[in-house]
Structures are given as C-alpha cells and as structure tokens.
C-alpha cells in the first residue's frame, strides 16, 4: 500500500506486472498450474489437474526459483529508485485437493479447494513478521522424492482453522 501511494498508477502497474511475470514464469517453468492472481499474490498447484508424481519436488523448486527471482526484481526496484525491495511469503502444503471449474453460468474459473490449499494459504500468511519467506508443511517435505538437505525444522505450529498442529520447515540461512 505504501509503495502504491508513492508512485504514479502506471508505475505501480508496470512493477506489479513485472513481478507477477517473474513469479509466474518460475511456477510454470517447474510444471505448476497457475490458478489465480490475488493482487500481488499468486495461487498455484502442482499435481493438478494432471498428476505429477514429483509434485512436491516441483513445488519446492519453484519456490526456490521465486525467491531467486525476487532478488532480481528487488535489484530492478533499487536501480529505478522505486523501492528498496520487498520480501515475500510462500506456503507449501501437500495433500488431496478438489479441483475443477467453479463459478456461475456466466463466469467460471479453474480452482483447487480443500484443507490442503487453505493450509498452504495460512502458511504463506504465517511467514509475515518472521525471518522466513518460505514455510514447507511436513507433508510436503515427506513427499519429496529428492531429499532437501537445506530444509531446517522451524517447529510445530497451530494453524488458524485447523485442530491439529503442523510441523513446519524452511530453508536454512545461507
């Protein structure tokens, strides 16, 4: 919000489109399905609508790519004197989802629904105010076909709207 109020609308749209392009490319390059843009947020799924046995590996690779691309985007913001740079939050969670076209007779869109996607969204939100930009749910870590040695346990957390706690992982500090 403070970023948008200090610039001309065309500059904000240009910066947002540049950011969304970078993040979308990271998702699509790793075989993700881009479900929706929500302001500067993105919802994506891996393993739906087409099954991918390595969906967790793809999602983690996309998250790493997004964080790398964020560094380049932030450098562009600094080079153009628009901003010092931003942090982002990414939540990865694995489980069953219901996916398909939902909406009305006049407007349909593809989406994925259920506890898995709700929890992933909550994990993303839980990164705010922490040193972590990525939270990986234990189910995702367990589903990895190639172990990620740089994931470190952050702890057990309550997630709003869920009864059970969830063990979270994040990337080790370099």
């Amino acid at each position: 919000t403070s970023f948008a109020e200090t610039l001309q609308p065309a500059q904000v749209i240009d910066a947002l489109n540049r950011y969304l392009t970078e993040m979308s490319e990271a998702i699509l390059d790793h075989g993700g399905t881009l479900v929706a843009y929500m302001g500067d947020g993105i919802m994506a799924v891996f393993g739906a609508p087409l099954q991918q046995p390595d969906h967790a590996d793809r999602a983690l690779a996309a998250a790493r790519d997004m964080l790398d691309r964020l560094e380049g985007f932030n450098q562009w913001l600094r080079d153009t004197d628009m901003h010092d740079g931003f942090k982002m939050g990414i939540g990865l969670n694995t489980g069953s989802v219901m996916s398909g076209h939902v909406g009305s007779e006049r407007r349909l869109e593809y989406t994925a629904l259920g506890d898995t996607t709700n929890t992933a969204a909550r994990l993303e939100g839980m990164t705010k105010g922490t040193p972590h930009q990525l939270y990986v749910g234990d189910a995702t870590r367990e589903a990895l076909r190639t172990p990620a040695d740089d994931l470190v346990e952050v702890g057990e957390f309550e997630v709003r709207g869920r009864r059970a706690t969830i063990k979270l992982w994040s990337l080790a500090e370099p």
Side-chain angles (χ1 to χ4, degrees):
T1 303
S2 60
F3 175 73
E5 72 184 4
T6 62
L7 300 170
Q8 293 298 313
Q11 288 176 296
V12 175
I13 294 295
D14 180 50
L16 181 60
N17 284 337
R18 184 180 292 256
Y19 169 79
L20 291 173
T21 296
E22 288 294 325
M23 299 307 124
S24 297
E25 290 298 316
I27 292 163
L28 296 170
D29 286 353
H30 294 282
T33 299
L34 190 63
V35 175
Y37 294 121
M38 301 156 293
D40 63 354
I42 301 174
M43 179 183 178
V45 295
F46 292 80
L50 302 175
Q51 288 188 349
Q52 298 165 314
D54 60 345
H55 61 86
D57 299 83
R58 290 171 178 268
L60 182 57
R64 292 176 193 279
D65 194 2
M66 292 169 74
L67 291 168
D68 287 344
R69 289 171 184 253
L70 180 64
E71 289 180 29
F73 175 76
N74 282 339
Q75 187 59 54
W76 174 78
L77 287 174
R78 288 188 288 275
D79 291 347
T80 57
D81 293 324
M82 273 198 249
H83 198 273
D84 291 333
F86 295 103
K87 290 180 76 175
M88 72 163 66
I90 302 171
L92 299 182
N93 192 42
T94 297
S96 297
V97 299
M98 296 168 281
S99 67
H101 288 91
V102 298
S104 72
E105 207 173 273
R106 295 178 70 183
R107 184 173 186 281
L108 288 175
E109 61 183 44
Y110 176 81
T111 194
L113 305 166
D115 178 60
T116 300
T117 55
N118 292 346
T119 300
R122 299 276 195 249
L123 297 183
E124 178 273 327
M126 289 168 57
T127 65
K128 290 175 179 60
T130 76
H132 306 287
Q133 293 187 85
L134 170 65
Y135 276 155
V136 178
D138 199 45
T140 301
R141 190 188 67 81
E142 290 291 326
L144 292 171
R145 291 181 156 216
T146 303
D149 296 334
D150 62 342
L151 286 181
V152 294
E153 185 178 339
V154 179
E156 288 273 340
F157 291 86
E158 290 184 4
V159 177
R160 187 168 52 94
R162 300 190 86 232
R163 287 186 212 116
T165 60
I166 185 170
K167 185 186 294 186
L168 296 181
W169 301 79
S170 192
L171 296 173
E173 295 298 316

